[in-house]
Amino acid sequence: QWFDGFGTGLKSKVTLRHVMTQTSGLQHESGDVKLVEHDDRLAYVRSLPATVEPGTVFSYSNEASQLLAGVIRAASGKTVDVYLGERLFKPLGIENWSWDKDPSGQPSTYTGLRMTAMDLAMIGRLIVDRGRFGGKKIIDPAFLDEMLRPSQTLNPNYGLMWWLRPTPNANGWLGQL
């Protein structure tokens, strides 16, 4: 529903959840060499075919991750950098950050967000504190619950756009938050 051209074939079955769980089935390359060749990376990704049934294969995809730039813009009317700047970074007091953009001016939602280690720790603290910061709710705890649990059986170490730490096992892996 977010993009023209997603209305037929396998692409018509791609949901936002598929994108956020890396199970979109969209064609993609390892790395981002081919992706960065395009001035408008979102337009390029929107043109890619789905090559496998969405929801059947976990395959980390920079291309699918770039779709989030278009979804956030369609849903909020703002680019992802402006939206997150207002809704997340400013309430956390994060001021010194930048986000790479493609030549068309679209932020690269698969890479390029830069901030200090202390600012990144503020995001970690927000997650540990269940979405609250300074007594205010910044993120819905129900979303964090969803984000931080295995989102599909294809890769139990991945939530919603978030790598999870494996649960404790005989090899001594540390547990999740």
Side-chain angles (χ1 to χ4, degrees):
Q1 75 183 22
W2 300 104
F3 304 115
D4 294 336
F6 273 66
T8 61
L10 289 177
K11 281 175 78 169
S12 69
K13 298 178 181 182
V14 176
T15 67
L16 180 55
R17 186 170 192 83
H18 290 134
V19 170
M20 294 183 72
T21 60
Q22 301 295 341
T23 62
S24 70
L26 291 177
Q27 174 184 310
H28 69 93
E29 305 289 329
S30 180
D32 69 352
V33 173
K34 190 161 187 170
L35 185 57
V36 299
E37 291 174 354
H38 298 272
D39 287 346
D40 186 335
R41 294 176 192 144
L42 179 58
Y44 165 69
V45 171
R46 289 175 57 189
S47 74
L48 294 173
T51 57
V52 298
E53 182 81 23
T56 62
V57 175
F58 176 90
S59 186
Y60 192 87
S61 170
N62 290 326
E63 289 84 352
S65 297
Q66 184 60 29
L67 288 174
L68 293 174
V71 171
I72 291 169
R73 185 172 204 142
S76 72
K78 300 175 182 180
T79 59
V80 65
D81 57 332
V82 170
Y83 181 77
L84 289 178
E86 294 171 0
R87 299 288 305 259
L88 181 63
F89 302 151
K90 186 175 181 180
L92 293 177
I94 297 172
E95 297 176 355
N96 188 20
W97 61 275
S98 64
W99 206 322
D100 289 350
K101 296 179 179 182
D102 68 19
S104 76
Q106 182 67 49
S108 299
T109 48
Y110 68 95
T111 190
L113 176 58
R114 293 179 176 82
M115 62 180 55
T116 67
M118 290 300 292
D119 288 342
L120 187 56
M122 297 293 283
I123 293 172
R125 182 83 254 165
L126 176 71
I127 292 168
V128 168
D129 290 342
R130 309 258 318 121
R132 298 188 71 75
F133 181 78
K136 295 165 86 174
K137 183 171 84 170
I138 308 296
I139 299 175
D140 185 340
F143 175 77
L144 291 177
D145 291 342
E146 195 68 17
M147 180 181 88
L148 296 173
R149 71 176 177 82
S151 56
Q152 28 71 32
T153 59
L154 300 170
N155 187 336
N157 295 318
Y158 200 77
L160 297 178
M161 297 302 295
W162 198 270
W163 286 103
L164 307 174
R165 297 175 82 184
T167 54
N169 62 30
N171 297 324
W173 287 96
L174 298 172
Q176 296 171 232
L177 289 174

